[in-house]
C-alpha cells in the first residue's frame, strides 16, 4: 500500500528533534509499532468510502482516494498507539516487543514515561493542524478511553471476579476504541454521511474486539516465536482473559475450583497448572467462537458499500485478525 | 477570584467517571495542583486584555471579561499541568507533594502513569471542544516542549557539564512553556491582536523562568515546612540548578573543584558538603539577581496595557513568584 509508506515517511519526519540526545530514542520508538494496523485501517476506510461515493456519483467525486489529511491522521493514530505501547511496556516490565528491546529495557522507565508523553502531545498537535476540531475530539476521547480501560484493569483488585461483560467492556476501551476511531476518521475525511461513517466505526470496533480476543487466545495457545513474547504473560500479570473467564464458569464445579486455585498460585506457577484444565474444557473452542462472531459482525457492518479493492482489504484484515493462529 | 472557582467546579465535573474504582484516584489527582497558577494567569491575561480593549474602545467590546471559553481553557492548562506533576512524582519517586501523598505513594506507579495519560487525553479533548483548533495546537505544542525539556534532563548523562544557557533552555521548556501558553491563550480569547497576544506570551514566559529559578533557590535555601518538600531534593536527584552552575564556575578554582567533588558524592551526602561552599560564593545573590531580571522583564512586557485590576494582579503574581522566600 503506497500511502502506508507516506505514513512511515511522515512519522519519520515528525519525530525529528533539534536535540541530538533525543534522536535515537525517538527513532527507536517508531520501530515498536510493527504492523501499522491502525493507519492501514484509516487509509483503507477512507479509500473504501471514496470508492463507494465514486461508484454512486461518478461526476461529483474528483478528489483522490487518499488525501494529505488521511496521511496526517493515520500518522496521528499510529503515534497514539505507540505512546500507549511504550507506557504498557513499563506497566508490564516487558523487555522485548516483537523481538526489539523496549524503551524501558534499552534506556529506563523514566525515558519511557516521558517519551510516551511526548508522543501523545505530538499526536494531538498534529491532529490540530487539520482545519476542523473533530479529529482532535475523536482522538482525545479515544486516548482517554484507552487509559480508562487500563486504569480499570490496574485498579480492579479482584481480577478473578471479572465476568465476560466486564471483560468485553475493558477490551472495548483498551483495544477497540482506537481501531474504531481510525475507521471512523478515515470514512469521515472521505465525505461519508453520518450513517456511513457510523458503519465504518462499527467495523473498526468489532474488528478491534475480535483482534484482542485473538491476542488473548495466542497468549495461551500461540507459538512463542511467532507471537514475539513469552506465552502465559497475561496469566502471570494477573490479567483475566476470555478463556479463563470461561474456565472459571465451567459446568463441573470441581474444574472451576481447581482453576481458581491455580490462578491464585504465584505468577510463574500458574501456566503449568492451568493448561491441563483448559484442555479439559471448551475454553479454546468458545473463545474462537466469540472472536469469530465479532469478525462476522465487523464484515457485516461494511457489506452495503460498493465493492472496491480497499473494501476487500478491510475484510481480509478482519479475517487475519482472527485467523492469525487458528 | 470568582472565575477561578468556576475552573475548580469545571475540573471537578470533568473528572467524574462512570467507573466507581476511578473516582477516588481522579479526585485525589485534582488536589495535587495546589496554587492554580496557570488557570489564574490565563483568566487574568484574558481580563487584562479585555479591560485594555474596553478602555480604548468602550463601544465595541460588549462581551464579558471572562467567557466560558476562558474557563474551559483554564481547566485544560491545569489538567495538563497536573498530568505532568503526576508523572514527575514517579520520576522523582516522590511520596508527598504539598503535604498530600502522591498518587504513586497512595496507589502505585502504574496508576500514576495511566492517570497522567488519562488527564492528558482529557485535556486535549476538552481543548478540542472550542470552535478553533488554535488552542489545541498551542496546548499540544506546549505539552510536547514540557516533555522534551524533561527528556533532555533525563538523557543528559553528564549533568555537571550543563552551562547557564542550557539550563535556561531546559526550564523554558519544563516550566515557562505552559505559563507562556496560558497567558497567550487568555489574551487571544479576549480578542487581542498579534502584538498584544505576543506581549502576554512574553510575560508568561519570563514569569515562568523567574518562578522556576526561585523554585531552584528554595530547594537550597527554603524552609522545609513552607516549601512542602525536603530541601536538597534537586541535588540528590542530580538536577543541576542555577546556584550550582554559578558555584561550579567560581573564580577561585579550588572552590569550583571542591564543589565538583561534592556533587560526585553519593546523593545523600551532597547537600552537607555543598552548603558551606555555596555560602562562600555569590551563588545565592547571583541566582536572586537573575530571577529578578526575569521578573522585571515580565512586567515590562505588559506595561503598555491600560491599567486594570487584572493587570495589577498579574504584576503581583510576578512579584510573588520571585519573593516567595527572598
Amino acid at each position: 500500500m503506497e500511502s502506508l509508506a507516506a505514513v512511515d515517511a511522515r512519522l519519520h519526519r515528525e519525530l525529528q528533534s533539534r536535540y541530538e540526545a533525543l534522536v535515537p530514542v525517538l527513532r527507536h520508538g517508531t520501530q515498536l509499532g510493527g504492523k501499522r494496523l491502525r493507519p492501514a485501517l484509516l487509509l483503507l476506510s477512507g479509500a473504501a468510502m471514496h470508492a463507494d461515493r465514486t461508484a454512486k456519483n461518478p461526476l461529483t467525486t474528483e478528489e483522490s482516494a487518499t488525501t494529505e489529511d488521511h496521511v496526517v491522521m493515520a500518522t496521528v493514530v499510529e503515534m497514539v498507539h505507540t505512546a500507549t505501547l511504550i507506557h504498557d511496556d513499563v506497566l508490564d516490565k516487558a523487555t522485548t516487543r516483537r523481538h526489539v528491546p523496549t524503551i524501558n529495557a534499552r534506556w529506563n522507565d523514566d525515558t519511557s514515561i516521558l517519551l510516551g508523553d511526548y508522543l501523545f502531545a505530538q499526536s494531538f498537535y498534529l491532529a490540530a493542524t487539520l482545519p476542523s476540531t473533530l479529529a482532535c475530539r475523536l482522538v482525545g476521547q479515544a486516548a482517554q478511553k484507552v487509559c480508562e480501560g487500563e486504569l480499570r484493569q490496574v485498579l480492579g483488585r479482584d481480577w478473578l471476579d471479572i465476568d465476560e461483560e466486564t471483560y468485553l467492556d475493558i477490551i472495548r476501551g483498551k483495544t477497540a476504541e482506537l481501531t474504531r476511531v481510525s475507521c471512523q476518521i478515515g470514512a469521515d475525511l472521505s465525505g461519508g454521511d453520518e450513517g456511513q461513517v457510523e458503519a465504518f466505526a462499527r467495523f473498526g470496533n468489532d474488528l478491534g474486539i475480535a483482534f484482542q480476543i485473538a491476542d488473548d487466545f495466542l497468549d495461551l495457545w500461540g507459538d512463542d516465536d511467532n507471537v514475539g513474547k513469552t506465552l502465559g504473560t497475561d496469566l502471570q500479570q494477573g490479567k483475566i482473559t476470555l478463556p479463563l473467564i470461561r474456565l472459571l464458569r465451567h459446568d463441573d464445579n470441581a474444574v472451576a475450583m481447581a482453576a481458581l486455585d491455580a490462578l491464585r498460585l504465584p505468577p510463574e506457577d500458574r501456566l503449568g497448572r492451568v493448561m491441563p484444565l483448559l484442555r479439559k474444557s471448551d475454553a479454546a473452542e468458545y473463545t474462537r467462537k466469540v472472536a469469530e462472531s465479532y469478525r462476522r459482525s465487523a464484515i457485516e457492518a461494511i457489506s452495503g458499500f460498493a465493492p472496491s479493492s480497499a473494501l476487500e482489504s478491510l475484510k481480509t484484515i478482519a479475517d487475519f485478525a482472527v485467523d492469525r493462529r487458528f
Side-chain angles (χ1 to χ4, degrees), chain A residues 19-287:
Chain A
Y19 301 112
E20 218 182 304
L22 269 62
V23 173
V25 187
L26 288 170
R27 191 170 306 145
H28 194 86
T30 61
Q31 291 168 0
L32 293 169
K35 294 188 291 296
R36 306 272 187 254
L37 172 65
R38 290 144 197 87
L41 289 173
L42 193 148
L43 297 174
L44 288 168
S45 296
M49 186 63 242
H50 181 265
D52 183 81
R53 288 184 65 212
T54 309
K56 289 169 188 163
N57 249 325
L59 293 174
T60 57
T61 48
E62 288 167 20
E63 75 276 31
S64 75
T66 303
T67 65
E68 181 60 22
D69 284 358
H70 284 94
V71 173
V72 167
M73 288 311 300
T75 309
V76 166
V77 293
E78 183 66 9
M79 271 189 196
V80 171
H81 174 59
T82 306
T84 63
L85 290 187
I86 290 170
H87 282 183
D88 279 351
D89 285 341
V90 177
L91 306 189
D92 295 345
K93 297 176 181 54
T95 55
T96 62
R97 178 178 282 277
R98 294 172 198 295
H99 311 287
V100 172
T102 57
I103 298 282
N104 43 310
R106 173 115 174 236
W107 285 271
N108 49 48
D109 283 2
D110 291 2
T111 304
S112 297
I113 294 173
L114 292 170
L115 179 64
D117 292 352
Y118 182 93
L119 291 175
F120 265 131
Q122 169 88 340
S123 65
F124 286 112
Y125 170 75
L126 198 54
T129 61
L130 262 64
S132 129
T133 57
L134 178 72
C136 292
R137 284 205 305 282
L138 290 177
V139 171
Q141 208 159 30
Q144 199 190 358
K145 283 191 184 162
V146 172
C147 302
E148 193 175 58
E150 298 205 60
L151 260 177
R152 289 177 69 204
Q153 247 179 353
V154 165
L155 291 170
R157 246 164 294 172
D158 206 357
W159 61 293
L160 297 175
D161 240 23
I162 288 182
D163 58 15
E164 191 170 320
E165 199 188 331
T166 310
Y167 163 80
L168 286 172
D169 203 33
I170 287 176
I171 68 172
R172 204 169 283 131
K174 203 177 75 162
T175 308
E177 186 57 30
L178 207 52
T179 52
R180 188 180 71 72
V181 108
S182 297
C183 298
Q184 186 178 4
I185 292 174
D188 178 71
L189 290 175
S190 292
D193 66 29
E194 205 179 319
Q196 292 170 322
V197 170
E198 185 48 37
F200 279 100
R202 198 143 42 85
F203 168 81
N205 180 70
D206 291 355
L207 170 108
I209 294 177
F211 189 85
Q212 184 59 53
I213 295 175
D215 232 39
D216 291 355
F217 183 96
L218 291 175
D219 188 58
L220 293 167
W221 292 287
D223 166 330
D224 285 55
D225 266 7
N226 286 337
V227 179
K229 63 173 194 175
T230 317
L231 291 187
T233 305
D234 292 338
L235 205 54
Q236 289 208 17
Q237 285 164 358
K239 280 188 199 152
I240 205 81
T241 58
L242 193 54
L244 301 174
I245 291 171
R246 181 70 175 175
L247 181 63
L248 289 170
R249 277 146 191 83
H250 198 282
D251 284 342
D252 181 347
N253 201 41
V255 177
M257 283 299 129
L260 202 58
D261 287 343
L263 294 174
R264 285 187 177 134
L265 290 173
E268 59 281 14
D269 301 334
R270 289 173 195 161
L271 188 65
R273 283 278 285 282
V274 163
M275 287 313 291
L277 294 169
L278 281 170
R279 273 193 289 272
K280 277 195 285 187
S281 79
D282 70 344
E285 190 196 327
Y286 180 76
T287 303

